[in-house]
Amino acid sequence: MGRAAAEALYREGESANTVTSYRSALRYWAGWFALRYGQPIALPLAPAVVIQFVVDHATRTTPQGPVSELPPAIDTALVARGLKARTGPPALATLMHRLAVIAKAHQLENAANPCADPAVRELVARTRRAYAKRGERPARKAALTREPLARLLETCDDSLIGLRDRALLLFAWSSGGRRRSEVAGATLAALTRMGPGEFVYQLGWSKTNQAGADLPDNAKPVVGAAGAALEAWLHASAIRDGAIFRRIRRGGHVGEALSDAAVRKIVKQRCEAAGLDGDFSAHSLRSGFVTEAAARQVPLAETMAMTGHTSVATLVRYFRAADARRSTAADLMGELADDDGRAESGSAKPR
């Protein structure tokens, strides 16, 4: 399908994770279209095709429960071809991502975008509304705030792997909630030692600075516990140049740079070792940093300087949630006293 569009997507300079997600979405579109219409996919797609894609993958409520229009035989075939992990409708976020990717593919080929068709836009809007009315919200990874992060650090011993993982976790969290691609791509060339256990890391490329512009906020302090852990790891590993965080091979040999996937695996394994309940991922370090900053009432501008967020709206929800928990209006009833002078919480004692 649209080979030129796919190649243009890959050339955009996106992160490896973004490219992988684009490829996956485009492969899914091609597989679904071939099974649905019995021919190879070709751009531009008609709006009716996109509408069919939506009703095939979005659920609607019926007396028999939630249903979608994807024929079971096609659903099974998509699983057999490795285009989806299991039968059944995808999450709403997955459906919306696939629509965004096919819209981008049309844009890059200068083709009429079927997702911009009024009928398609109305259907997508009503689909979102239907999911919201059912109380279904986008799933978010649990946040690794200070307390659960401390439990992860307790699982890190003084072996090379333990020293590396402690340094990695603290570097990622304390320097503003670095993304896994940023952790995997961290190099000694961008690290400046300011004193014993004190560093400044120059973040050259990030999701919000894909051109690698030299910005004042690129400098991320790595101090305190994070600086001490990084110092210990660099001393034990004897790394002098190249990637900071690396594989540890058998026999305690320091190997090549960690991949994005390896960073995610380390976080998940440490969460399991710590016995944490919840759905955690590498992104939990980023959301945990922001959540902790909001709870401690760190100024929004200071938090954004650390995280690299360019949108205030993205961070405001964390700060509003923290403010709601501190709100004096949340418990105006306070404590009530019964006839014996004992304090009661909530409504008055029934008589």
Side-chain angles (χ1 to χ4, degrees), residues 254-275:
V254 179
E256 68 276 17
L258 292 175
S259 65
D260 294 9
V263 174
R264 177 184 60 212
K265 185 177 180 181
I266 288 170
V267 174
K268 293 182 76 69
Q269 286 179 336
R270 291 296 174 182
C271 287
E272 292 172 5

Side-chain angles (χ1 to χ4, degrees), residues 69-139:
E69 292 300 307
L70 188 65
I74 293 181
D75 200 11
T76 301
L78 288 168
V79 174
R81 295 185 183 188
L83 296 174
K84 59 188 301 190
R86 62 188 68 85
T87 57
L92 178 62
T94 301
L95 171 57
M96 294 302 149
H97 175 260
R98 288 171 179 164
L99 291 174
V101 169
I102 204 66
K104 185 71 170 178
H106 281 78
Q107 176 188 339
L108 290 169
E109 285 208 340
N110 293 317
N113 180 11
C115 296
D117 182 86
V120 173
R121 294 180 64 177
E122 181 66 17
L123 176 61
V124 171
R126 289 181 179 269
T127 298
R128 287 183 181 274
R129 202 173 307 157
Y131 275 72
K133 286 177 67 177
R134 294 178 216 153
E136 298 183 36
R137 298 289 186 270

Side-chain angles (χ1 to χ4, degrees), residues 61-342:
T61 303
T62 70
Q64 293 73 40
V67 299
S68 64
E69 292 300 307
L70 188 65
I74 293 181
D75 200 11
T76 301
L78 288 168
V79 174
R81 295 185 183 188
L83 296 174
K84 59 188 301 190
R86 62 188 68 85
T87 57
L92 178 62
T94 301
L95 171 57
M96 294 302 149
H97 175 260
R98 288 171 179 164
L99 291 174
V101 169
I102 204 66
K104 185 71 170 178
H106 281 78
Q107 176 188 339
L108 290 169
E109 285 208 340
N110 293 317
N113 180 11
C115 296
D117 182 86
V120 173
R121 294 180 64 177
E122 181 66 17
L123 176 61
V124 171
R126 289 181 179 269
T127 298
R128 287 183 181 274
R129 202 173 307 157
Y131 275 72
K133 286 177 67 177
R134 294 178 216 153
E136 298 183 36
R137 298 289 186 270
R140 297 188 183 279
K141 297 296 183 182
L144 281 169
T145 51
R146 186 177 186 275
E147 184 176 340
L149 178 61
R151 291 176 58 184
L152 262 66
L153 298 175
E154 290 174 357
T155 71
C156 301
D157 57 22
D158 290 332
S159 67
L160 268 179
I161 290 177
L163 291 171
R164 178 201 65 191
D165 290 1
R166 183 185 294 114
L168 183 152
L169 292 168
L170 284 167
F171 172 88
W173 196 88
S174 299
S175 64
R178 304 273 57 86
R179 300 175 179 89
R180 55 180 173 151
S181 59
E182 296 164 1
V183 174
T187 64
L188 282 173
L191 189 69
T192 301
R193 186 188 302 275
M194 306 303 292
E198 295 185 352
F199 303 87
V200 170
Y201 184 76
Q202 289 289 335
L203 184 65
W205 181 95
S206 68
K207 185 176 180 180
T208 53
N209 183 16
Q210 298 191 23
D214 185 14
L215 304 175
D217 290 343
N218 286 355
K220 309 299 179 183
V222 184
V223 297
L230 184 57
E231 185 88 74
W233 159 244
L234 293 177
H235 175 76
S237 62
I239 296 172
R240 297 291 179 264
D241 54 38
I244 294 175
F245 301 107
R246 306 187 182 206
R247 287 186 61 186
I248 306 299
R249 297 187 174 278
R250 288 184 179 179
H253 299 294
V254 179
E256 68 276 17
L258 292 175
S259 65
D260 294 9
V263 174
R264 177 184 60 212
K265 185 177 180 181
I266 288 170
V267 174
K268 293 182 76 69
Q269 286 179 336
R270 291 296 174 182
C271 287
E272 292 172 5
L276 295 186
D277 294 326
D279 186 14
F280 294 94
S281 72
H283 191 74
S284 298
L285 293 167
R286 186 167 177 80
S287 61
F289 177 88
V290 177
T291 302
E292 189 70 30
R296 296 196 194 188
Q297 296 182 284
V298 176
L300 186 61
E302 187 175 340
T303 301
M304 292 180 69
M306 289 290 289
T307 63
H309 280 97
T310 56
S311 169
V312 172
T314 304
L315 289 187
V316 160
R317 62 185 176 86
Y318 291 96
F319 283 77
R320 285 181 176 167
D323 288 341
R325 289 193 293 271
R326 290 189 293 267
S327 174
T328 55
D331 187 21
L332 293 179
M333 290 293 289
E335 289 188 338
L336 301 177
D338 65 14
D339 291 340
D340 297 326
R342 292 190 299 269

